[in-house]
Amino acid sequence: MSVSRETSRDLSAYVALITKWSSAINLLSRNDRAIVWERHIADAIQLSEVAPAGVDWIDLGSGGGFPAVPVAIHRKGSDTCLTLVEADTRKAAFLRTVRRELGLEYEVINDRIEHLRTERFEVVTARALSSLHRLLDHHYDLVANNGLGLYPKGRTWHREVEAARRTYEFDFQPITSVAGEGSIILKVENVRRRADAG
C-alpha cells in the first residue's frame, strides 16, 4: 500500500480510535484488530483507487467505518462527497467523532437504509452488510444510471451473482482484492430489474 505520509498518519490515528472504541462497542473483533491493516485498510484503499474521482459516494451500513473512513482519508481534500449510513446510534456517534478528530469531510446519516429518501449517487459501497441480491435492491433505488457499486465479497461471490440475476440484470467485473485469497471487489454497473421478476 503506497500512500502519502499524511494519509498514513491519519490512517494510524483512525486505527487507534477504532481499537479504543471497540472495547465499549462492537466495531472490530479481536481477530480483525490483528489484521486491520492487511485486510480492512488495504481493502478500503483499493476501493478508493478503483472508484472514479469527484463522485457522490454512499456507503451503506458503515459500522466502524470500513471502507468509508479510509476512503475519506485517502481522498482528503478532493471533491468526492461521501455519505455514511449507519442505523446504530453508538456507531454513528463514533463515525462523527472520527470525522471531528481527523478533520474529515463526510455526512453521517443515523437511520435505516430503507428510510433513505431516493437519491442518485454515482458510487455505492457496502462491506459485509448483506447478500448481493439485497444490496442490489438498495443499489437500484440509490444509484444513478451511470453509477456503479463496489462490493467486497468472499469465495461465494459466484453464487451471490447467480441468485441476484433472478431479479436483476447487471454487468459485473470481479477485481482481485488485496484483502486475501478468495476475496474480490465486485464492480457492478447497469443494474436493471428483470421484466419477469416477481
Side-chain angles (χ1 to χ4, degrees):
M1 195 171 57
S2 178
V3 296
S4 70
R5 183 177 299 177
E6 180 185 7
T7 296
S8 180
R9 183 195 65 213
D10 285 347
L11 288 170
S12 295
Y14 168 56
V15 169
L17 281 168
I18 199 170
T19 301
K20 177 182 176 183
W21 278 60
S22 288
S23 61
I25 59 177
N26 183 28
L27 296 174
L28 202 60
S29 71
R30 187 177 300 276
N31 288 339
D32 279 346
R33 287 177 220 175
I35 56 170
V36 65
W37 285 94
E38 298 87 345
R39 183 168 179 81
H40 303 297
I41 298 291
D43 189 49
I45 297 301
Q46 185 181 13
L47 277 171
S48 182
E49 291 173 343
V50 168
V55 291
D56 288 330
W57 183 323
I58 188 167
D59 184 61
L60 305 177
S62 296
F66 293 112
V69 171
V71 169
I73 292 170
H74 187 243
R75 295 188 171 214
K76 196 172 186 178
S78 76
D79 53 357
T80 292
C81 295
L82 273 163
T83 300
L84 283 60
V85 182
E86 175 50 50
D88 186 287
T89 300
R90 294 184 302 169
K91 291 177 182 178
F94 169 75
L95 295 171
R96 293 186 179 109
T97 298
V98 172
R99 180 181 61 189
R100 182 182 67 251
E101 295 202 10
L102 299 186
L104 301 175
E105 293 186 16
Y106 54 74
E107 180 183 2
V108 178
I109 297 177
N110 181 203
D111 204 347
R112 294 182 58 82
I113 300 165
E114 294 81 3
H115 297 163
L116 295 178
R117 63 189 185 280
T118 299
E119 296 280 2
R120 290 296 168 187
F121 294 90
E122 293 157 292
V123 174
V124 58
T125 49
R127 188 177 190 282
L129 179 64
S130 62
S131 69
L132 181 63
H133 180 274
R134 187 72 182 109
L135 291 175
L136 293 188
D137 288 341
H138 301 310
H139 182 122
Y140 186 77
D141 291 335
L142 295 171
V143 178
N145 289 336
N146 61 343
L148 60 92
L150 295 171
Y151 304 117
K153 289 293 178 181
R155 298 175 187 275
T156 63
W157 69 269
H158 291 280
R159 281 180 288 192
E160 291 195 42
V161 167
E162 184 179 342
R165 281 189 177 274
R166 296 177 194 138
T167 305
Y168 294 100
E169 295 177 349
F170 52 93
D171 300 323
F172 70 94
Q173 175 190 358
I175 301 168
T176 301
S177 172
V178 298
E181 187 178 349
S183 298
I184 66 153
I185 295 169
L186 198 60
K187 182 179 180 181
V188 177
E189 299 177 275
N190 302 317
V191 177
R192 295 93 63 197
R193 190 180 292 274
R194 291 176 59 99
D196 58 349

